[in-house]
Amino acid sequence: MRQYFGKKLPLSFFIATMTLIVVPSQSEVANAFGTVNQLGQNSEHARITRHALTCQPASSAGTCLEENTLESLAGTRGTFGAVGAPDRGRGMLTSFAHCSAGDHFEVQGYPQTAAEAQAKLTECRDYMVSNLDHAVIDAADLLDQNGDFRSRETSMFGGCVYKGSQHGRAKCNVLAHMGRILHASQDFYSHSNWVDLPNFEAPNSTDNPPGLGQRGPSPWLDLRMARPQFPRGLISGCFDNQSYLGEDKGCLYGDGTVHRVRHLNVNKDTGTIDPYIGAATTERGAINDNFKHAVQAAILDTADKWRTLNDRLIATYGDTNGRKMICALTHDSPKKSC
């Protein structure tokens, strides 16, 4: 769920409500599954991540994160965390970080072909694959040459800073890459038409584009697969700041009066997730339980993305070292707990 569910936040909001925190610039806004608790957002990214990765009595080893590590990945109130980091700075301006810009509609003169829309969404998937590759590479620094935990590189003491390309310790770097993957994959379900259905009481149009009505994670987003088949009819919304703000002047074409399929027309970014998945607060999310299905798919896919990292670590570094790396990434104090 892309650093999205939500609208652009004014700088005044951060000045007024966030103390002892570095105030982001006006470009550091949230346009996807929400990352803050104001202006219609309810930290949807963080909540989805916690649903997927919080340790439960039945959790198996390596599939859940201890408290401090999970807080760093998901973020706490007033912070973005690794999963919210793409909603600040330059990340907000890159469509591939949020699986946006894959819009298409079968009408004469539409400014983007189906192939071009597919290419935009494929760029988002490639971004996830690249971050997974970098997470696996950075994990090598969790252990020394003897396969022992490197105390500084695995510690959560002092926290992580998810800004820029380097975040401090090896564990922070791995979590940063995973945050980008999870943000993009969560946004995929919010920003695309994979899970949703249109309003059947109105004709299909750029205001009411077709939906695929799928349930659960998309096989196309399984990062274990090298060249998965692209889902026929899959689209997301036009990437334009005005469209995110819900203004009709965004994403216009032709004589300047016709609009493309906008983020406004497909997003399922905001709504109630805790203590249960409840009401949606976007138009597309509120019909046909679209928000609920987007959240459910995002939770399942978030858990699978973490399992994918585990699989890659074992395949790359062997069973013994791979499992030690997994333990270092899931435990707050691996030298004591693993």
Side-chain angles (χ1 to χ4, degrees), residues 273-323:
I273 293 178
D274 291 318
Y276 55 85
I277 303 175
T281 53
T282 69
E283 182 176 351
R284 186 77 167 191
I287 60 175
N288 298 312
D289 286 330
N290 287 334
F291 173 76
K292 175 182 177 180
H293 295 310
V295 171
Q296 289 174 334
I299 290 171
L300 292 173
D301 200 21
T302 294
D304 189 62
K305 291 292 185 289
W306 192 264
R307 287 192 293 269
T308 302
L309 172 65
N310 292 354
D311 294 344
R312 282 285 304 275
L313 292 176
I314 292 172
T316 302
Y317 298 105
D319 188 75
T320 299
N321 282 351
R323 293 188 185 281

mmCIF file of all heavy atoms in Angstrom, residues 273-323:
data_model
loop_
_atom_site.group_PDB
_atom_site.id
_atom_site.type_symbol
_atom_site.label_atom_id
_atom_site.label_comp_id
_atom_site.label_asym_id
_atom_site.label_seq_id
_atom_site.Cartn_x
_atom_site.Cartn_y
_atom_site.Cartn_z
ATOM 1 N N ILE A 273 -8.918 -0.108 9.838
ATOM 2 C CA ILE A 273 -8.254 -1.411 9.799
ATOM 3 C C ILE A 273 -8.269 -2.076 11.165
ATOM 4 O O ILE A 273 -8.421 -3.296 11.271
ATOM 5 C CB ILE A 273 -6.816 -1.274 9.271
ATOM 6 C CG1 ILE A 273 -6.841 -0.850 7.796
ATOM 7 C CG2 ILE A 273 -6.033 -2.577 9.439
ATOM 8 C CD1 ILE A 273 -5.479 -0.645 7.181
ATOM 9 N N ASP A 274 -8.131 -1.304 12.218
ATOM 10 C CA ASP A 274 -8.136 -1.842 13.577
ATOM 11 C C ASP A 274 -9.304 -1.263 14.370
ATOM 12 O O ASP A 274 -9.649 -0.093 14.191
ATOM 13 C CB ASP A 274 -6.823 -1.490 14.286
ATOM 14 C CG ASP A 274 -5.640 -2.242 13.695
ATOM 15 O OD1 ASP A 274 -5.800 -3.435 13.415
ATOM 16 O OD2 ASP A 274 -4.584 -1.625 13.529
ATOM 17 N N PRO A 275 -9.917 -2.050 15.227
ATOM 18 C CA PRO A 275 -9.581 -3.442 15.590
ATOM 19 C C PRO A 275 -10.048 -4.476 14.574
ATOM 20 O O PRO A 275 -9.769 -5.662 14.720
ATOM 21 C CB PRO A 275 -10.309 -3.622 16.926
ATOM 22 C CG PRO A 275 -11.507 -2.738 16.804
ATOM 23 C CD PRO A 275 -11.025 -1.527 16.051
ATOM 24 N N TYR A 276 -10.773 -4.030 13.551
ATOM 25 C CA TYR A 276 -11.183 -4.923 12.467
ATOM 26 C C TYR A 276 -11.221 -4.090 11.188
ATOM 27 O O TYR A 276 -11.230 -2.855 11.221
ATOM 28 C CB TYR A 276 -12.566 -5.530 12.743
ATOM 29 C CG TYR A 276 -13.634 -4.489 13.005
ATOM 30 C CD1 TYR A 276 -14.331 -3.880 11.962
ATOM 31 C CD2 TYR A 276 -13.926 -4.087 14.304
ATOM 32 C CE1 TYR A 276 -15.289 -2.905 12.196
ATOM 33 C CE2 TYR A 276 -14.878 -3.114 14.553
ATOM 34 C CZ TYR A 276 -15.552 -2.525 13.498
ATOM 35 O OH TYR A 276 -16.486 -1.559 13.743
ATOM 36 N N ILE A 277 -11.204 -4.746 10.046
ATOM 37 C CA ILE A 277 -11.278 -4.027 8.774
ATOM 38 C C ILE A 277 -12.706 -3.550 8.592
ATOM 39 O O ILE A 277 -13.633 -4.356 8.477
ATOM 40 C CB ILE A 277 -10.846 -4.922 7.599
ATOM 41 C CG1 ILE A 277 -9.432 -5.455 7.824
ATOM 42 C CG2 ILE A 277 -10.896 -4.124 6.289
ATOM 43 C CD1 ILE A 277 -8.971 -6.446 6.774
ATOM 44 N N GLY A 278 -12.870 -2.224 8.588
ATOM 45 C CA GLY A 278 -14.208 -1.663 8.549
ATOM 46 C C GLY A 278 -14.432 -0.753 7.359
ATOM 47 O O GLY A 278 -14.036 -1.062 6.230
ATOM 48 N N ALA A 279 -15.053 0.390 7.628
ATOM 49 C CA ALA A 279 -15.500 1.289 6.567
ATOM 50 C C ALA A 279 -14.345 1.931 5.824
ATOM 51 O O ALA A 279 -13.328 2.313 6.408
ATOM 52 C CB ALA A 279 -16.401 2.371 7.163
ATOM 53 N N ALA A 280 -14.522 2.070 4.523
ATOM 54 C CA ALA A 280 -13.562 2.773 3.680
ATOM 55 C C ALA A 280 -13.944 4.235 3.585
ATOM 56 O O ALA A 280 -15.108 4.601 3.765
ATOM 57 C CB ALA A 280 -13.543 2.156 2.281
ATOM 58 N N THR A 281 -12.958 5.077 3.268
ATOM 59 C CA THR A 281 -13.230 6.511 3.150
ATOM 60 C C THR A 281 -12.842 7.064 1.789
ATOM 61 O O THR A 281 -12.670 8.267 1.634
ATOM 62 C CB THR A 281 -12.510 7.293 4.265
ATOM 63 O OG1 THR A 281 -11.118 6.952 4.270
ATOM 64 C CG2 THR A 281 -13.109 6.976 5.627
ATOM 65 N N THR A 282 -12.679 6.198 0.793
ATOM 66 C CA THR A 282 -12.547 6.654 -0.590
ATOM 67 C C THR A 282 -13.714 6.082 -1.381
ATOM 68 O O THR A 282 -14.304 5.058 -0.996
ATOM 69 C CB THR A 282 -11.227 6.211 -1.248
ATOM 70 O OG1 THR A 282 -11.255 4.779 -1.448
ATOM 71 C CG2 THR A 282 -10.028 6.577 -0.392
ATOM 72 N N GLU A 283 -14.053 6.727 -2.489
ATOM 73 C CA GLU A 283 -15.216 6.292 -3.268
ATOM 74 C C GLU A 283 -15.053 4.872 -3.789
ATOM 75 O O GLU A 283 -15.968 4.046 -3.676
ATOM 76 C CB GLU A 283 -15.433 7.265 -4.429
ATOM 77 C CG GLU A 283 -16.652 6.940 -5.273
ATOM 78 C CD GLU A 283 -16.915 7.965 -6.362
ATOM 79 O OE1 GLU A 283 -16.248 9.025 -6.348
ATOM 80 O OE2 GLU A 283 -17.762 7.707 -7.228
ATOM 81 N N ARG A 284 -13.891 4.567 -4.363
ATOM 82 C CA ARG A 284 -13.669 3.231 -4.908
ATOM 83 C C ARG A 284 -13.600 2.186 -3.797
ATOM 84 O O ARG A 284 -14.071 1.055 -3.952
ATOM 85 C CB ARG A 284 -12.379 3.216 -5.736
ATOM 86 C CG ARG A 284 -12.104 1.911 -6.484
ATOM 87 C CD ARG A 284 -12.943 1.776 -7.731
ATOM 88 N NE ARG A 284 -12.472 0.693 -8.583
ATOM 89 C CZ ARG A 284 -12.876 0.482 -9.831
ATOM 90 N NH1 ARG A 284 -13.762 1.288 -10.396
ATOM 91 N NH2 ARG A 284 -12.392 -0.513 -10.552
ATOM 92 N N GLY A 285 -13.012 2.564 -2.679
ATOM 93 C CA GLY A 285 -12.896 1.626 -1.577
ATOM 94 C C GLY A 285 -14.212 1.285 -0.927
ATOM 95 O O GLY A 285 -14.373 0.197 -0.355
ATOM 96 N N ALA A 286 -15.177 2.217 -1.009
ATOM 97 C CA ALA A 286 -16.440 2.043 -0.292
ATOM 98 C C ALA A 286 -17.428 1.134 -0.999
ATOM 99 O O ALA A 286 -18.415 0.718 -0.401
ATOM 100 C CB ALA A 286 -17.082 3.410 -0.060
ATOM 101 N N ILE A 287 -17.198 0.812 -2.274
ATOM 102 C CA ILE A 287 -18.137 -0.047 -2.995
ATOM 103 C C ILE A 287 -17.603 -1.474 -3.074
ATOM 104 O O ILE A 287 -16.394 -1.705 -3.144
ATOM 105 C CB ILE A 287 -18.427 0.492 -4.415
ATOM 106 C CG1 ILE A 287 -17.138 0.583 -5.244
ATOM 107 C CG2 ILE A 287 -19.087 1.860 -4.334
ATOM 108 C CD1 ILE A 287 -17.381 1.001 -6.684
ATOM 109 N N ASN A 288 -18.501 -2.443 -3.000
ATOM 110 C CA ASN A 288 -18.165 -3.858 -3.195
ATOM 111 C C ASN A 288 -17.099 -4.381 -2.228
ATOM 112 O O ASN A 288 -16.357 -5.305 -2.571
ATOM 113 C CB ASN A 288 -17.704 -4.098 -4.640
ATOM 114 C CG ASN A 288 -18.775 -3.784 -5.659
ATOM 115 O OD1 ASN A 288 -19.914 -4.210 -5.510
ATOM 116 N ND2 ASN A 288 -18.424 -3.015 -6.680
ATOM 117 N N ASP A 289 -16.979 -3.766 -1.058
ATOM 118 C CA ASP A 289 -15.960 -4.172 -0.082
ATOM 119 C C ASP A 289 -14.552 -4.070 -0.668
ATOM 120 O O ASP A 289 -13.643 -4.834 -0.279
ATOM 121 C CB ASP A 289 -16.198 -5.605 0.409
ATOM 122 C CG ASP A 289 -17.365 -5.703 1.371
ATOM 123 O OD1 ASP A 289 -17.631 -4.720 2.095
ATOM 124 O OD2 ASP A 289 -18.024 -6.768 1.411
ATOM 125 N N ASN A 290 -14.337 -3.132 -1.585
ATOM 126 C CA ASN A 290 -13.040 -3.032 -2.249
ATOM 127 C C ASN A 290 -11.904 -2.732 -1.278
ATOM 128 O O ASN A 290 -10.800 -3.280 -1.408
ATOM 129 C CB ASN A 290 -13.085 -1.960 -3.330
ATOM 130 C CG ASN A 290 -13.876 -2.395 -4.550
ATOM 131 O OD1 ASN A 290 -14.005 -3.586 -4.834
ATOM 132 N ND2 ASN A 290 -14.424 -1.437 -5.290
ATOM 133 N N PHE A 291 -12.144 -1.851 -0.305
ATOM 134 C CA PHE A 291 -11.099 -1.533 0.672
ATOM 135 C C PHE A 291 -10.741 -2.771 1.482
ATOM 136 O O PHE A 291 -9.552 -3.082 1.687
ATOM 137 C CB PHE A 291 -11.570 -0.404 1.588
ATOM 138 C CG PHE A 291 -10.633 -0.110 2.731
ATOM 139 C CD1 PHE A 291 -9.456 0.577 2.521
ATOM 140 C CD2 PHE A 291 -10.942 -0.527 4.029
ATOM 141 C CE1 PHE A 291 -8.584 0.852 3.575
ATOM 142 C CE2 PHE A 291 -10.080 -0.258 5.083
ATOM 143 C CZ PHE A 291 -8.900 0.438 4.853
ATOM 144 N N LYS A 292 -11.728 -3.470 1.938
ATOM 145 C CA LYS A 292 -11.486 -4.679 2.730
ATOM 146 C C LYS A 292 -10.641 -5.679 1.960
ATOM 147 O O LYS A 292 -9.671 -6.241 2.494
ATOM 148 C CB LYS A 292 -12.819 -5.311 3.124
ATOM 149 C CG LYS A 292 -12.698 -6.638 3.857
ATOM 150 C CD LYS A 292 -14.082 -7.212 4.160
ATOM 151 C CE LYS A 292 -13.974 -8.575 4.836
ATOM 152 N NZ LYS A 292 -15.326 -9.139 5.129
ATOM 153 N N HIS A 293 -10.980 -5.900 0.703
ATOM 154 C CA HIS A 293 -10.228 -6.878 -0.087
ATOM 155 C C HIS A 293 -8.803 -6.403 -0.356
ATOM 156 O O HIS A 293 -7.873 -7.218 -0.399
ATOM 157 C CB HIS A 293 -10.962 -7.151 -1.395
ATOM 158 C CG HIS A 293 -12.299 -7.799 -1.210
ATOM 159 N ND1 HIS A 293 -12.489 -8.912 -0.429
ATOM 160 C CD2 HIS A 293 -13.529 -7.473 -1.711
ATOM 161 C CE1 HIS A 293 -13.760 -9.272 -0.451
ATOM 162 N NE2 HIS A 293 -14.421 -8.405 -1.206
ATOM 163 N N ALA A 294 -8.621 -5.094 -0.521
ATOM 164 C CA ALA A 294 -7.272 -4.549 -0.733
ATOM 165 C C ALA A 294 -6.415 -4.747 0.510
ATOM 166 O O ALA A 294 -5.240 -5.147 0.417
ATOM 167 C CB ALA A 294 -7.353 -3.063 -1.093
ATOM 168 N N VAL A 295 -6.981 -4.478 1.674
ATOM 169 C CA VAL A 295 -6.236 -4.643 2.923
ATOM 170 C C VAL A 295 -5.905 -6.109 3.168
ATOM 171 O O VAL A 295 -4.772 -6.459 3.535
ATOM 172 C CB VAL A 295 -7.035 -4.060 4.100
ATOM 173 C CG1 VAL A 295 -6.376 -4.419 5.431
ATOM 174 C CG2 VAL A 295 -7.140 -2.544 3.976
ATOM 175 N N GLN A 296 -6.871 -6.982 2.961
ATOM 176 C CA GLN A 296 -6.626 -8.410 3.183
ATOM 177 C C GLN A 296 -5.515 -8.929 2.272
ATOM 178 O O GLN A 296 -4.630 -9.673 2.718
ATOM 179 C CB GLN A 296 -7.913 -9.196 2.947
ATOM 180 C CG GLN A 296 -8.967 -8.981 4.021
ATOM 181 C CD GLN A 296 -10.293 -9.655 3.687
ATOM 182 O OE1 GLN A 296 -10.623 -9.871 2.514
ATOM 183 N NE2 GLN A 296 -11.057 -10.011 4.717
ATOM 184 N N ALA A 297 -5.547 -8.538 1.010
ATOM 185 C CA ALA A 297 -4.509 -8.977 0.073
ATOM 186 C C ALA A 297 -3.157 -8.405 0.465
ATOM 187 O O ALA A 297 -2.127 -9.094 0.383
ATOM 188 C CB ALA A 297 -4.879 -8.557 -1.349
ATOM 189 N N ALA A 298 -3.140 -7.142 0.893
ATOM 190 C CA ALA A 298 -1.881 -6.499 1.273
ATOM 191 C C ALA A 298 -1.271 -7.161 2.499
ATOM 192 O O ALA A 298 -0.041 -7.319 2.579
ATOM 193 C CB ALA A 298 -2.114 -5.014 1.525
ATOM 194 N N ILE A 299 -2.094 -7.556 3.463
ATOM 195 C CA ILE A 299 -1.578 -8.224 4.656
ATOM 196 C C ILE A 299 -0.937 -9.559 4.275
ATOM 197 O O ILE A 299 0.184 -9.887 4.703
ATOM 198 C CB ILE A 299 -2.706 -8.439 5.680
ATOM 199 C CG1 ILE A 299 -3.141 -7.094 6.289
ATOM 200 C CG2 ILE A 299 -2.262 -9.397 6.792
ATOM 201 C CD1 ILE A 299 -4.397 -7.190 7.140
ATOM 202 N N LEU A 300 -1.634 -10.340 3.471
ATOM 203 C CA LEU A 300 -1.093 -11.640 3.060
ATOM 204 C C LEU A 300 0.182 -11.477 2.245
ATOM 205 O O LEU A 300 1.152 -12.238 2.416
ATOM 206 C CB LEU A 300 -2.145 -12.404 2.254
ATOM 207 C CG LEU A 300 -3.376 -12.874 3.035
ATOM 208 C CD1 LEU A 300 -4.413 -13.459 2.083
ATOM 209 C CD2 LEU A 300 -2.985 -13.892 4.092
ATOM 210 N N ASP A 301 0.210 -10.488 1.362
ATOM 211 C CA ASP A 301 1.385 -10.295 0.515
ATOM 212 C C ASP A 301 2.563 -9.766 1.326
ATOM 213 O O ASP A 301 3.716 -10.112 1.050
ATOM 214 C CB ASP A 301 1.059 -9.347 -0.636
ATOM 215 C CG ASP A 301 2.045 -9.481 -1.786
ATOM 216 O OD1 ASP A 301 2.708 -10.541 -1.877
ATOM 217 O OD2 ASP A 301 2.154 -8.548 -2.584
ATOM 218 N N THR A 302 2.298 -8.920 2.324
ATOM 219 C CA THR A 302 3.369 -8.432 3.190
ATOM 220 C C THR A 302 4.066 -9.596 3.891
ATOM 221 O O THR A 302 5.300 -9.658 3.935
ATOM 222 C CB THR A 302 2.801 -7.442 4.226
ATOM 223 O OG1 THR A 302 2.319 -6.276 3.550
ATOM 224 C CG2 THR A 302 3.849 -7.038 5.250
ATOM 225 N N ALA A 303 3.285 -10.518 4.432
ATOM 226 C CA ALA A 303 3.865 -11.689 5.081
ATOM 227 C C ALA A 303 4.657 -12.529 4.087
ATOM 228 O O ALA A 303 5.741 -13.045 4.405
ATOM 229 C CB ALA A 303 2.763 -12.539 5.727
ATOM 230 N N ASP A 304 4.145 -12.641 2.863
ATOM 231 C CA ASP A 304 4.844 -13.444 1.866
ATOM 232 C C ASP A 304 6.136 -12.780 1.411
ATOM 233 O O ASP A 304 7.122 -13.461 1.114
ATOM 234 C CB ASP A 304 3.938 -13.698 0.656
ATOM 235 C CG ASP A 304 4.541 -14.708 -0.297
ATOM 236 O OD1 ASP A 304 4.751 -15.862 0.116
ATOM 237 O OD2 ASP A 304 4.838 -14.333 -1.452
ATOM 238 N N LYS A 305 6.147 -11.458 1.358
ATOM 239 C CA LYS A 305 7.379 -10.759 0.983
ATOM 240 C C LYS A 305 8.471 -11.028 2.014
ATOM 241 O O LYS A 305 9.654 -11.161 1.667
ATOM 242 C CB LYS A 305 7.122 -9.255 0.852
ATOM 243 C CG LYS A 305 6.250 -8.878 -0.352
ATOM 244 C CD LYS A 305 6.961 -9.120 -1.668
ATOM 245 C CE LYS A 305 6.156 -8.633 -2.861
ATOM 246 N NZ LYS A 305 4.963 -9.477 -3.142
ATOM 247 N N TRP A 306 8.087 -11.089 3.291
ATOM 248 C CA TRP A 306 9.086 -11.393 4.318
ATOM 249 C C TRP A 306 9.570 -12.839 4.172
ATOM 250 O O TRP A 306 10.768 -13.110 4.301
ATOM 251 C CB TRP A 306 8.515 -11.159 5.718
ATOM 252 C CG TRP A 306 9.602 -11.194 6.753
ATOM 253 C CD1 TRP A 306 9.981 -12.258 7.520
ATOM 254 C CD2 TRP A 306 10.493 -10.130 7.069
ATOM 255 N NE1 TRP A 306 11.044 -11.921 8.306
ATOM 256 C CE2 TRP A 306 11.385 -10.619 8.055
ATOM 257 C CE3 TRP A 306 10.619 -8.807 6.639
ATOM 258 C CZ2 TRP A 306 12.397 -9.837 8.607
ATOM 259 C CZ3 TRP A 306 11.624 -8.016 7.183
ATOM 260 C CH2 TRP A 306 12.494 -8.529 8.155
ATOM 261 N N ARG A 307 8.671 -13.757 3.867
ATOM 262 C CA ARG A 307 9.088 -15.139 3.636
ATOM 263 C C ARG A 307 9.997 -15.238 2.413
ATOM 264 O O ARG A 307 10.939 -16.049 2.381
ATOM 265 C CB ARG A 307 7.861 -16.035 3.450
ATOM 266 C CG ARG A 307 7.092 -16.304 4.751
ATOM 267 C CD ARG A 307 6.073 -17.415 4.568
ATOM 268 N NE ARG A 307 5.009 -17.028 3.662
ATOM 269 C CZ ARG A 307 3.871 -16.452 4.047
ATOM 270 N NH1 ARG A 307 3.663 -16.191 5.332
ATOM 271 N NH2 ARG A 307 2.947 -16.136 3.162
ATOM 272 N N THR A 308 9.742 -14.402 1.417
ATOM 273 C CA THR A 308 10.593 -14.398 0.224
ATOM 274 C C THR A 308 12.016 -13.982 0.589
ATOM 275 O O THR A 308 12.995 -14.563 0.098
ATOM 276 C CB THR A 308 10.026 -13.450 -0.845
ATOM 277 O OG1 THR A 308 8.701 -13.862 -1.183
ATOM 278 C CG2 THR A 308 10.879 -13.461 -2.103
ATOM 279 N N LEU A 309 12.148 -12.967 1.438
ATOM 280 C CA LEU A 309 13.481 -12.573 1.908
ATOM 281 C C LEU A 309 14.147 -13.737 2.625
ATOM 282 O O LEU A 309 15.332 -14.033 2.384
ATOM 283 C CB LEU A 309 13.371 -11.369 2.850
ATOM 284 C CG LEU A 309 14.672 -10.973 3.574
ATOM 285 C CD1 LEU A 309 15.718 -10.488 2.578
ATOM 286 C CD2 LEU A 309 14.405 -9.921 4.639
ATOM 287 N N ASN A 310 13.414 -14.414 3.511
ATOM 288 C CA ASN A 310 13.978 -15.564 4.215
ATOM 289 C C ASN A 310 14.483 -16.623 3.234
ATOM 290 O O ASN A 310 15.586 -17.174 3.390
ATOM 291 C CB ASN A 310 12.922 -16.185 5.133
ATOM 292 C CG ASN A 310 12.549 -15.284 6.299
ATOM 293 O OD1 ASN A 310 13.153 -14.228 6.507
ATOM 294 N ND2 ASN A 310 11.551 -15.683 7.066
ATOM 295 N N ASP A 311 13.672 -16.919 2.229
ATOM 296 C CA ASP A 311 14.061 -17.916 1.232
ATOM 297 C C ASP A 311 15.341 -17.511 0.519
ATOM 298 O O ASP A 311 16.236 -18.345 0.284
ATOM 299 C CB ASP A 311 12.944 -18.099 0.206
ATOM 300 C CG ASP A 311 11.672 -18.695 0.796
ATOM 301 O OD1 ASP A 311 11.730 -19.246 1.912
ATOM 302 O OD2 ASP A 311 10.620 -18.600 0.136
ATOM 303 N N ARG A 312 15.430 -16.244 0.153
ATOM 304 C CA ARG A 312 16.611 -15.759 -0.566
ATOM 305 C C ARG A 312 17.863 -15.808 0.310
ATOM 306 O O ARG A 312 18.962 -16.125 -0.179
ATOM 307 C CB ARG A 312 16.373 -14.326 -1.055
ATOM 308 C CG ARG A 312 15.492 -14.211 -2.298
ATOM 309 C CD ARG A 312 16.239 -14.629 -3.567
ATOM 310 N NE ARG A 312 17.453 -13.853 -3.744
ATOM 311 C CZ ARG A 312 17.509 -12.655 -4.337
ATOM 312 N NH1 ARG A 312 16.398 -12.095 -4.797
ATOM 313 N NH2 ARG A 312 18.656 -12.021 -4.476
ATOM 314 N N LEU A 313 17.729 -15.477 1.590
ATOM 315 C CA LEU A 313 18.886 -15.505 2.478
ATOM 316 C C LEU A 313 19.432 -16.918 2.624
ATOM 317 O O LEU A 313 20.652 -17.136 2.584
ATOM 318 C CB LEU A 313 18.516 -14.931 3.849
ATOM 319 C CG LEU A 313 18.213 -13.430 3.883
ATOM 320 C CD1 LEU A 313 17.759 -13.018 5.278
ATOM 321 C CD2 LEU A 313 19.415 -12.603 3.445
ATOM 322 N N ILE A 314 18.549 -17.884 2.784
ATOM 323 C CA ILE A 314 19.000 -19.280 2.909
ATOM 324 C C ILE A 314 19.597 -19.770 1.603
ATOM 325 O O ILE A 314 20.632 -20.455 1.591
ATOM 326 C CB ILE A 314 17.818 -20.166 3.358
ATOM 327 C CG1 ILE A 314 17.426 -19.820 4.803
ATOM 328 C CG2 ILE A 314 18.175 -21.646 3.232
ATOM 329 C CD1 ILE A 314 16.161 -20.501 5.281
ATOM 330 N N ALA A 315 18.973 -19.417 0.479
ATOM 331 C CA ALA A 315 19.499 -19.844 -0.824
ATOM 332 C C ALA A 315 20.852 -19.229 -1.116
ATOM 333 O O ALA A 315 21.710 -19.861 -1.753
ATOM 334 C CB ALA A 315 18.500 -19.469 -1.923
ATOM 335 N N THR A 316 21.067 -18.007 -0.648
ATOM 336 C CA THR A 316 22.304 -17.292 -0.953
ATOM 337 C C THR A 316 23.440 -17.645 0.004
ATOM 338 O O THR A 316 24.584 -17.831 -0.421
ATOM 339 C CB THR A 316 22.061 -15.767 -0.903
ATOM 340 O OG1 THR A 316 21.034 -15.427 -1.828
ATOM 341 C CG2 THR A 316 23.332 -14.993 -1.255
ATOM 342 N N TYR A 317 23.132 -17.760 1.293
ATOM 343 C CA TYR A 317 24.183 -17.907 2.306
ATOM 344 C C TYR A 317 24.209 -19.278 2.965
ATOM 345 O O TYR A 317 25.037 -19.532 3.849
ATOM 346 C CB TYR A 317 24.020 -16.828 3.380
ATOM 347 C CG TYR A 317 24.153 -15.425 2.826
ATOM 348 C CD1 TYR A 317 23.028 -14.614 2.655
ATOM 349 C CD2 TYR A 317 25.396 -14.921 2.453
ATOM 350 C CE1 TYR A 317 23.145 -13.335 2.136
ATOM 351 C CE2 TYR A 317 25.522 -13.641 1.936
ATOM 352 C CZ TYR A 317 24.391 -12.848 1.773
ATOM 353 O OH TYR A 317 24.516 -11.581 1.255
ATOM 354 N N GLY A 318 23.325 -20.173 2.554
ATOM 355 C CA GLY A 318 23.287 -21.492 3.156
ATOM 356 C C GLY A 318 22.344 -21.534 4.342
ATOM 357 O O GLY A 318 21.942 -20.501 4.884
ATOM 358 N N ASP A 319 21.985 -22.749 4.742
ATOM 359 C CA ASP A 319 20.972 -22.918 5.781
ATOM 360 C C ASP A 319 21.410 -22.317 7.120
ATOM 361 O O ASP A 319 20.647 -21.577 7.751
ATOM 362 C CB ASP A 319 20.665 -24.403 5.965
ATOM 363 C CG ASP A 319 19.477 -24.632 6.886
ATOM 364 O OD1 ASP A 319 18.339 -24.417 6.442
ATOM 365 O OD2 ASP A 319 19.693 -25.018 8.052
ATOM 366 N N THR A 320 22.634 -22.592 7.554
ATOM 367 C CA THR A 320 23.071 -22.139 8.875
ATOM 368 C C THR A 320 23.177 -20.624 8.942
ATOM 369 O O THR A 320 22.561 -19.976 9.806
ATOM 370 C CB THR A 320 24.419 -22.765 9.241
ATOM 371 O OG1 THR A 320 24.287 -24.195 9.279
ATOM 372 C CG2 THR A 320 24.894 -22.268 10.600
ATOM 373 N N ASN A 321 23.952 -20.030 8.048
ATOM 374 C CA ASN A 321 24.125 -18.576 8.082
ATOM 375 C C ASN A 321 22.846 -17.847 7.693
ATOM 376 O O ASN A 321 22.534 -16.779 8.231
ATOM 377 C CB ASN A 321 25.270 -18.153 7.168
ATOM 378 C CG ASN A 321 26.626 -18.400 7.794
ATOM 379 O OD1 ASN A 321 26.724 -18.728 8.977
ATOM 380 N ND2 ASN A 321 27.683 -18.245 7.010
ATOM 381 N N GLY A 322 22.109 -18.416 6.741
ATOM 382 C CA GLY A 322 20.862 -17.790 6.337
ATOM 383 C C GLY A 322 19.882 -17.691 7.492
ATOM 384 O O GLY A 322 19.250 -16.648 7.712
ATOM 385 N N ARG A 323 19.759 -18.757 8.269
ATOM 386 C CA ARG A 323 18.833 -18.744 9.405
ATOM 387 C C ARG A 323 19.323 -17.807 10.508
ATOM 388 O O ARG A 323 18.515 -17.189 11.220
ATOM 389 C CB ARG A 323 18.602 -20.149 9.929
ATOM 390 C CG ARG A 323 17.849 -21.019 8.930
ATOM 391 C CD ARG A 323 17.448 -22.358 9.499
ATOM 392 N NE ARG A 323 16.842 -23.185 8.463
ATOM 393 C CZ ARG A 323 15.584 -23.070 8.042
ATOM 394 N NH1 ARG A 323 14.797 -22.150 8.594
ATOM 395 N NH2 ARG A 323 15.114 -23.852 7.088
#
